[in-house]
Amino acid sequence: MFPSKASNFFTFLVTIFSVTRCHADLLNIMPPNFQQAMGLAHEIWHNPQVMEETGQQMIQSFQDATAKLQEDHVGIQTVFSAFNSETLSTIKTAIRGTSSRHNISAQCENDTLIFVEGLALRQTWALRMFDATGKPPSGIMNGDIHWLGKYHQCINVTAEVNVTQIHVDNRTHLEYPFTGQHCNLIYSLAASGGNSSTPAMGNMFGLLQSLVVGMCVPSSCSALDIETVFNATLAEIAYQMNKTGNKTATGVIVQCIEQYTDWDGGAIAVMCVTSLLLLLVVIATAYDVITKQLQLMKIKMMESPHAKMYTSDNGLLQGHRVDEHTPLISDGQHTQETVNVKVRQEHGMAAKILLSFSLYTNGAKILNTTQTAGTLQCIHGVRFLSLSWVILGHTYVFAISIIGNFGDFGALIKRWTFQAIVNATFSVDSFFVMSGLLVTYLTLREMKKNEGKLNWPMYYFHRYWRLTPPYMLLIMVYVPTFKYWASGPLWPAEPDPFCKDNWWTNLLYINNVVNPDKMCVAWSWYLANDMQFFIISPLIIIPLYRSGILGTVVLLVVMLGSFIATGVISTVNDIGTSLAAQAGANGANGFDLIYIKPWCRIGPYLAGMLFGYLLYKTECKQKLHWSLVLVGWAVAAISALAVLYGLYDQFQGYPLTTGVASFYNTVSRTVWGLALGWVIYACCTGSGGFVNTILSWEGFVPLSRLSYCAYLVHPIIMMLFYLSTETVLFFSDLMVVYLFLANLVAAYGAAFLVSLVFEAPMLGMEKAIFRRGK
C-alpha cells in the first residue's frame, strides 16, 4: 500500500504511460517504406556526398512513406486495436458516465468522443492530436518531468468529420467541429498543491516541483472539463488498484493555454498612448534636426578660428586652405557646451520641452563618453559589472523550472566556482553601496557649495522624477500587452495579475512592505528599498555635514539596529543562508521576512554612505601610505571572498547551525558593502592601480547610463524567451554562457530604446522646466 501522495503520483504515471504506449508501438510497426526512408536519412547524415544526388529522392520517399502510413490498415489497426470494439465502448461509457456525474459540457463530451473515434479510425487529424500530446522521455529520474508536447502542432489541428445529410439529399460532406487546444496537466510533487490560475512568475517557479504533461484536447473543452474528467479517471484507477477507501480526486490541475488574437480595451489604450508618444518623438527629432542641429553647425562654422573664409564669385571657399590636415571639429574658444547654450537661448519653454523628446539629442547624450571634472569614474564600471552579475544570476533563476536536467544541479552546486552564482544576490547590494555613496558625496558637496543650505523638496522630487516615469510607463506597456507578444505551452494568461490591484504600491515605493506576497513586478522590490533609503538619508547626511563624529554615530546606530533586526528574525524563524534555502521553520519565507525588507537590507547602503563621506572630506585627493593601501586591499579581498565562498562546505553536506546561519545573514551584506566601498574609495583617491584603469574605461559610461532601464527590462526579456519555448532546456556550461550573453545584449539593446523614449525625455523635461544644470 502506497502513501496517499506517492499512490496518486504512481497512478498518474501509470495512466500517462498507458496512454502513450500506442505511440511507442507505432514506431515499431512502421511500414517498410518508412523504415527505408529513415535508413536513407542515416546514410546521408554519414555521407554528405549523397545529399546532392539523393535529396529529392529522400523527400519523395518520406512523402510516400507518410501516404503509406496513412493507408496501411494492418499496421495501424494493430497499434490502435485497443481503441476498437470493447475497449472503445468502455472508453465512451466512461466519458459519458463522468459527464453525467460531474456536469461536463455536452459539446466537450461529444467532441471528445469524436476524437476517440478518430483515433480508432486512424484519421490523420486525430493521430496528429495524439502525437502532439506530451510523452514520458528519458531522464525522468534526472528531473525531466515537464513533458510539454508539441504546442503549435496541436493548435494547428482541425478535426474533420464525415456527416451524411439524411433528410436532405443523403450526401456526405465534411464538417470541422473543433480544433486542437493545448492544456497542461499539472500534478504537484510538493507537500501541498498549487493554484490553477498560475501567473507567469508562478509558472517559472511554481512548476519546479510539479509533473507537467501537455495534452492536445478538443477546443470546446474547458480546463475545468478536462480537470474533472482526468481527476475522476485517476480516482477510479486508484480505487481499482487499491480496492480500499473512497474514490477521491487526485489533485491534478489543468491549465489551458488561451489564444489571444483580439486585443482588449486595455491593450488598445496602451497602444494609443504609446503611439502618441512615438509620434511626439518623431516630431521632436525632426524639429531638432531641422532647427537646432543645422543652427548648431552654422554657429560652429562661423565661430571656428579655422572658418575665416569667404565665398568667391564662383562659389569656392577662399582664404583658408582645406586639406587632410584640417580638423573636423573646432578647437577654438567656443566649446560644444558653449554652442549648445547659444542655441538653447533662442528657444522658448515649449520648444525646449519638445526637444527633450528628440532621438538625435538623447541618443548623443546616452552614447557620449565624456566625463566632467569631479566624476567618480570607476562607478561606471562597477555599475555595469554589477548588473551583468544580476543578469547572470537571473539567467539561471528564471529558467530553473523549465530545464530537463535539474538533477544535474546537485553536482553543479557543489563546485566552488558556482558559489559566485549561488551568491549572485550580493550584486544588488553593490547597487545599494553605490547609491548610498553617491547620494552622500554629491549632497554634501552641494550643501558645502550653498553654505549648508539645500532645496530639500527638489532633492526628493528629482529622485522621484528620475526613477518613476520610465518605471510606470514600462509597467503600463508590459502588463496589458505581454500576453500578445508570443505563445507557447507555458505562456501565461496574465504576466502579473497582482498589478491590477497593487500597482499603487509600486507608485509609492512601498511594495516591499505592503502586500509583498502580491507584488506587482516582483523584481521592483529593489527600487522600493532604494527609495526608502533615499528618503531617510538626510537624517544621516545632515549630522555628517554638521559633525563627522555625530553623523558617524547616527550611521552606526542605524546599522546596529539593522543587525539586531536581521539576527532576531533569522534566528526565530530558522532562516537559511542562501536565497534558495531561505525557507524557515513553520513555513517562514526568508524572501519576505529578510530579503526584501529595508530594515534588513540597509547595511550596504550605510557602508556606501560612510565611504561617500570620506570621499567628500578628502575631496578624492588623499594619498595613503603604500602599506595602508596594501592592508586595505588585502582586507577587502579576503572579506569579499569569505562572503562569496565561505558557504562552500554547506553545499558539501555540512549544514550550518541556526546561530551561524543567522550571523551570516546579519553581517554578510554589510561586509560586502564595506569591501566594495574600499574598492571605490581606493580607485577615486589614486590607489586603485590597474583595477581603477579597468573600471574607469570610458566604454562603460554609456552602459552605466543604461543600467537602470536594463534592470527594469531584463526579466521581461527572459520571460519572453523562457515562457515561449516549446521544449525544456538542458543546461550546460556552454548553454548558460550563450544564454547569458544573449540576455545581456538583448537587455541593453532594449534598455537603449526604453531610455530614448521613456527615460531621457523625462529628464530633459525636468531640466527645461526647472532649469536644472543652468
Side-chain angles (χ1 to χ4, degrees), residues 560-598:
L560 179 62
S562 175
F563 285 172
I564 294 174
T566 306
V568 170
I569 294 172
S570 181
T571 302
V572 171
N573 295 282
D574 194 16
I575 303 297
T577 52
S578 66
L579 184 60
Q582 285 192 339
N586 302 319
N589 188 340
F591 181 84
D592 288 340
L593 292 176
I594 292 180
Y595 190 75
I596 65 174
K597 290 299 186 284

Side-chain angles (χ1 to χ4, degrees), residues 322-381:
V322 180
D323 56 24
E324 67 274 12
H325 301 291
T326 303
L328 296 178
I329 299 177
S330 169
D331 56 357
Q333 60 180 345
H334 291 283
T335 63
Q336 175 75 30
E337 182 60 27
T338 303
V339 176
N340 285 337
V341 170
K342 287 179 175 291
V343 175
R344 286 197 299 265
Q345 289 174 347
E346 299 181 14
H347 291 284
M349 177 69 70
K352 293 178 182 178
I353 294 176
L354 178 62
L355 287 173
S356 66
F357 287 87
S358 170
L359 292 179
Y360 191 98
T361 298
N362 291 333
K365 289 179 180 178
I366 294 172
L367 299 177
N368 182 25
T369 59
T370 303
Q371 302 182 66
T372 59
T375 301
L376 307 181
Q377 298 181 7
C378 65
I379 288 289
H380 298 297

